Amino acid sequence: MGVTIQQIAVKAGVSKATVSRVLNGLAVKYETEQKVKAIMEKMEYRPHRFARGLAASHKTGFLGVVTPSLNPYVAAVITGMEEEAQRHGKLLTLATFPTGSNEEREVIQTMTNPPVVDGLLFFLPSPQMEGLIKRLLQHKFPMVVASERRFENLVSAVIIDNLNGAKQATEYLISKGHRRIGYINGRVEMSDSMDRMEGYRIALREAGIVLPD
């Protein structure tokens, strides 16, 4: 077990509250502050990031990310999230679970009640998550949804224009003289998949190409 605040307090002859004030940069006598810091250094005390955040401002320094899988696309996006979080002195904690599983709901509840993350980012959330997202909104828990349009009227959302993206991709193939253009769809319950399918259909229709059965 590591060194505790209580041990530091006993060694310095001060209260635990005084040690806590030193840890959190609050006002104490200069001599006391220097004494406590010297003892921390001698005893190789390392403050727990999470506990320190709670004591200082009810902030943990962690952001939660919930996603159904870690395929190459998801991994690349999360890498970008992590880089941006670190620029702001934050760390990510990641949870990946099958779509709509009870375990996913339990973990999110654990993250948020009481909060062990400062905010949640739902990446590609399933339709089954709507009830949970609404409950978190009722408690004013900070969150963002990414890559799922169905929630954009409920919560702050980052959405890709999948319809126009798929339309432009199909139009490019048409411009190269292709007429028999296939389409491989994603999960039909996700708005991304529906939007891409619609963009594909619009491009074919505008080019006078009969959609394949």
Side-chain angles (χ1 to χ4, degrees), residues 37-188:
K37 286 183 176 179
I39 292 172
M40 287 179 180
E41 185 68 26
K42 184 176 181 180
M43 297 180 71
E44 298 183 346
Y45 173 76
R46 296 294 180 267
H48 190 286
R49 179 186 177 95
F50 172 58
R52 183 176 178 181
L54 287 179
S57 61
H58 302 291
K59 297 294 184 182
T60 69
F62 287 87
L63 301 174
V65 179
V66 179
T67 187
S69 66
L70 269 183
N71 60 48
Y73 166 65
V74 173
V77 174
I78 290 178
T79 296
M81 295 178 189
E82 190 165 33
E83 291 174 355
E84 186 65 17
Q86 289 179 356
R87 286 185 59 245
H88 296 274
K90 302 287 186 179
L91 295 175
L92 296 187
T93 180
L94 175 66
T96 59
F97 298 100
T99 301
S101 70
N102 290 330
E103 186 181 5
E104 183 178 45
R105 294 171 181 270
E106 291 173 4
V107 168
I108 293 171
Q109 293 285 17
T110 300
M111 284 183 173
T112 59
N113 187 27
V116 296
V117 294
D118 297 331
L120 272 178
L121 192 149
F122 290 90
F123 189 45
L124 296 170
S126 66
Q128 292 86 350
M129 299 303 296
E130 182 172 346
L132 179 57
I133 289 173
K134 286 181 176 179
R135 287 197 295 275
L136 290 172
L137 283 172
Q138 289 175 353
H139 290 87
K140 302 186 185 305
F141 196 85
M143 75 184 89
V144 174
V145 167
S147 292
E148 181 45 57
R149 182 171 53 79
R150 73 175 67 245
F151 299 114
E152 64 181 340
N153 293 326
L154 289 176
V155 63
S156 297
V158 179
I159 307 299
I160 299 171
D161 190 350
N162 287 285
L163 189 150
N164 279 314
K167 182 174 181 288
Q168 290 173 23
T170 307
E171 287 172 342
Y172 173 79
L173 293 175
I174 294 171
S175 73
K176 295 298 182 181
H178 302 294
R179 307 291 291 178
R180 299 179 62 190
I181 301 171
Y183 176 78
I184 300 175
N185 201 14
R187 287 157 44 198
V188 295

Side-chain angles (χ1 to χ4, degrees), residues 179 203-210:
R179 307 291 291 178
L204 293 183
R205 189 164 55 246
E206 289 181 352
I209 299 174
V210 178

